[in-house]
Amino acid sequence: MRICYVHQYFCTPRGNGGVRSYEFARRWVRAGHEVEVLTGTGYDTSLPSSGVFLVEGIRVRTLGIYYSPRMAFIERFWSFIYFALKASWRMLYSNDYDLVIATSTPLTVAIPALCAKWIARKPVVFEVRDVWPDAAVDIGELRSAFLIKLAKGLERIAYSSADAIVPLSTGMERRIAAKGVPHGQMTVIPNCSDLDRFANGKRSRFRSKFRCDEKFVIIYAGAVSQANDIESLAASLALMQRLSGWEWWFVGDGNRLDWLRAEVSSKRLQNVRLLGAVSRDDLTDLLAGADCGVVSFVPKPVYYENSPNKFFDYIAASLPVVFSRSSWLQESILEYECGFVGSDGSSAMLAENLGMLISDRTLARRMGRNARRLAEECFSRDRMAEKYLDLLVRVSQAPRLER
């Protein structure tokens, strides 16, 4: 089977973004299939700005369109449009694929997917990492009534035209179903844990570098953005100043990193390291050096449904997980006793839960072992890649009339 994977933010472990597409694609190549990825640049500086090259057997075609989460809204908007147009041209120009996966966000990847479906007559799988435009509207990023109406129309057409839809959580599945999409059209395949990678991190590398060998290290590894309620994390940091024996590493970039840096400086918050974006290779060792991981989102229903990469990386690295508020993952966390889940996003509750782990390292280690067991039993990347490939085979072999 020849698969075309449209992902504007494609990233390898050398980059600083999610590697879901990369990890799935390389497994499918090993299984004997061909995969071409259409992508832009910005998250992975190891990828040339344009051209075609191989990465572990994956044919990666970069289209020369740059994107960064630090861009202003209008810059990001045009980045999405230009990428969609260039990817659409590729859909029409080439016929060397049997099936297309378009992974959103951005929602505009639906445009090349529709070109493949309507004009090239190829089956399409639409993957939903965040439900747009709902997420953008909820955090106030998308305000224009005209653009919201346009985005909702594109979303509706994308769902109705897709041969299959892959939401990344059961909550997303319910949200999409509420828009009139049949459950039978959807297959939930969440983000996954890379078990081998995070079992082999070097714990001493960054602990020695930062001279915190005896400290309890908390890590937040992900976007430092408006959606992640960075203000609440800063408030928790302030409340924790009375505690001793800990350090908090922030790993990631985003439009609230400068604000966080200024907040830490102006309030003279101690025991904080703002490390910025790092490669996945460095992230492996940073997680190995940490003792627990934090997940935070703004109090909006659409983020309850989010499938955060950081969570799956934390549990693969045997870290207990502390959520600032409730999540669809709460049931698994409580069942496996591998962390704490806040009920209301309270900064005081987050600080209290972190304080419990700082003061009881035996509890933290036990929760960490349970977290790894959850990763192995429920979220193995290998198992999810097989499930996804089974879906792709069914879609590609379905009779034409069923599409």
Side-chain angles (χ1 to χ4, degrees):
M1 181 167 51
R2 298 170 301 172
I3 303 164
C4 182
Y5 209 144
V6 184
H7 183 193
Q8 186 166 355
Y9 313 145
F10 178 80
C11 203
T12 74
R14 294 183 179 182
N16 56 51
V19 293
R20 175 185 175 93
S21 302
Y22 162 82
E23 292 291 352
F24 281 155
R26 71 187 187 92
R27 283 168 170 79
W28 299 338
V29 168
R30 286 205 307 260
H33 303 279
E34 297 178 22
V35 182
E36 176 174 284
V37 172
L38 303 185
T39 189
T41 59
Y43 277 99
D44 190 340
T45 56
S46 74
L47 303 179
S49 61
S50 63
V52 183
F53 51 98
L54 290 178
V55 178
E56 293 200 42
I58 309 165
R59 189 166 67 247
V60 179
R61 186 180 297 271
T62 52
L63 302 180
I65 306 299
Y66 179 77
Y67 172 83
S68 166
R70 284 176 168 265
M71 289 170 127
F73 173 80
I74 191 65
E75 293 177 306
R76 283 180 285 143
F77 173 81
W78 284 113
S79 174
F80 297 157
I81 295 298
Y82 290 147
F83 178 82
L85 292 176
K86 293 195 78 169
S88 297
W89 175 252
R90 176 63 184 167
M91 294 291 99
L92 302 177
Y93 173 77
S94 171
N95 197 38
D96 57 355
Y97 54 91
D98 302 312
L99 176 145
V100 173
I101 306 170
T103 185
S104 171
T105 61
L107 178 60
T108 43
V109 297
I111 297 171
L114 293 173
C115 287
K117 175 71 176 183
W118 292 349
I119 301 174
R121 310 298 296 171
K122 302 294 184 180
V124 168
V125 174
F126 192 63
E127 183 176 69
V128 183
R129 300 185 183 217
D130 282 312
V131 181
W132 273 50
D134 299 26
V137 172
D138 274 0
I139 62 172
E141 192 171 59
L142 190 60
R143 298 186 180 93
S144 163
F146 173 73
L147 288 180
I148 292 171
K149 184 176 181 180
L150 203 64
K152 287 184 176 180
L154 180 58
E155 178 195 31
R156 185 171 58 253
I157 296 170
Y159 292 156
S160 64
S161 300
D163 295 271
I165 298 169
V166 176
L168 268 62
S169 75
T170 53
M172 290 184 193
E173 181 186 31
R174 288 192 295 270
R175 178 176 290 268
I176 295 169
K179 298 172 184 280
V181 177
H183 281 281
Q185 192 181 353
M186 294 184 278
T187 300
V188 175
I189 301 176
N191 276 324
C192 319
S193 293
D194 294 315
L195 301 176
D196 292 341
R197 167 176 287 276
F198 290 106
N200 297 306
K202 300 179 180 66
R203 180 169 174 80
S204 63
R205 179 184 169 196
F206 287 102
R207 293 182 74 90
S208 297
K209 179 179 179 179
F210 299 148
R211 298 181 181 179
C212 59
D213 290 320
E214 302 304 318
K215 291 184 177 180
F216 185 93
V217 174
I218 303 158
I219 193 166
Y220 172 88
V224 186
S225 69
Q226 183 179 353
N228 300 101
D229 200 12
I230 300 303
E231 293 79 1
S232 290
L233 297 187
S236 296
L237 274 171
L239 292 171
M240 292 173 63
Q241 296 300 296
R242 58 186 172 78
L243 303 176
S244 62
W246 62 277
E247 184 163 296
W248 194 329
W249 299 346
F250 282 82
V251 180
D253 196 4
N255 56 19
R256 298 300 285 163
L257 181 58
D258 291 341
W259 177 89
L260 180 59
R261 187 176 286 115
E263 186 78 355
V264 168
S265 176
S266 65
K267 293 189 175 178
R268 299 182 181 180
L269 300 178
Q270 303 298 309
N271 306 317
V272 185
R273 291 187 187 274
L274 305 180
L275 303 178
V278 303
S279 71
R280 194 159 179 83
D281 293 332
D282 284 342
L283 178 63
T284 301
D285 292 341
L286 284 164
L287 293 187
D291 297 296
C292 83
V294 171
V295 180
S296 175
F297 290 105
V298 292
K300 299 290 185 180
V302 71
Y303 289 103
Y304 170 90
E305 304 154 6
N306 190 269
S307 189
N309 281 304
K310 61 181 77 69
F311 166 78
F312 301 94
D313 292 346
Y314 294 160
I315 62 175
S318 301
L319 296 181
V321 183
V322 181
F323 274 71
S324 65
R325 61 185 75 255
S326 59
S327 162
W328 71 279
L329 294 160
Q330 179 172 343
E331 183 177 339
S332 295
I333 293 168
L334 297 180
E335 178 185 348
Y336 279 78
E337 297 182 352
C338 62
F340 299 109
V341 179
S343 60
D344 59 359
S346 162
S347 299
M349 180 178 290
L350 178 61
E352 180 181 346
N353 287 336
L354 290 172
M356 290 176 61
L357 295 176
I358 293 168
S359 63
D360 190 345
R361 299 197 183 188
T362 299
L363 171 64
R365 286 191 291 270
R366 183 172 71 249
M367 284 188 162
R369 290 192 295 270
N370 292 342
R372 175 68 185 194
R373 185 164 58 88
L374 171 61
E376 292 172 348
E377 293 179 3
C378 300
F379 298 114
S380 159
R381 179 85 69 181
D382 289 338
R383 189 176 302 127
M384 295 299 169
E386 291 175 3
K387 179 180 179 180
Y388 208 148
L389 185 57
D390 287 344
L391 171 65
L392 300 182
V393 170
R394 291 198 307 273
V395 169
S396 69
Q397 294 178 351
R400 200 67 185 170
L401 289 178
E402 292 184 11
R403 299 180 189 146

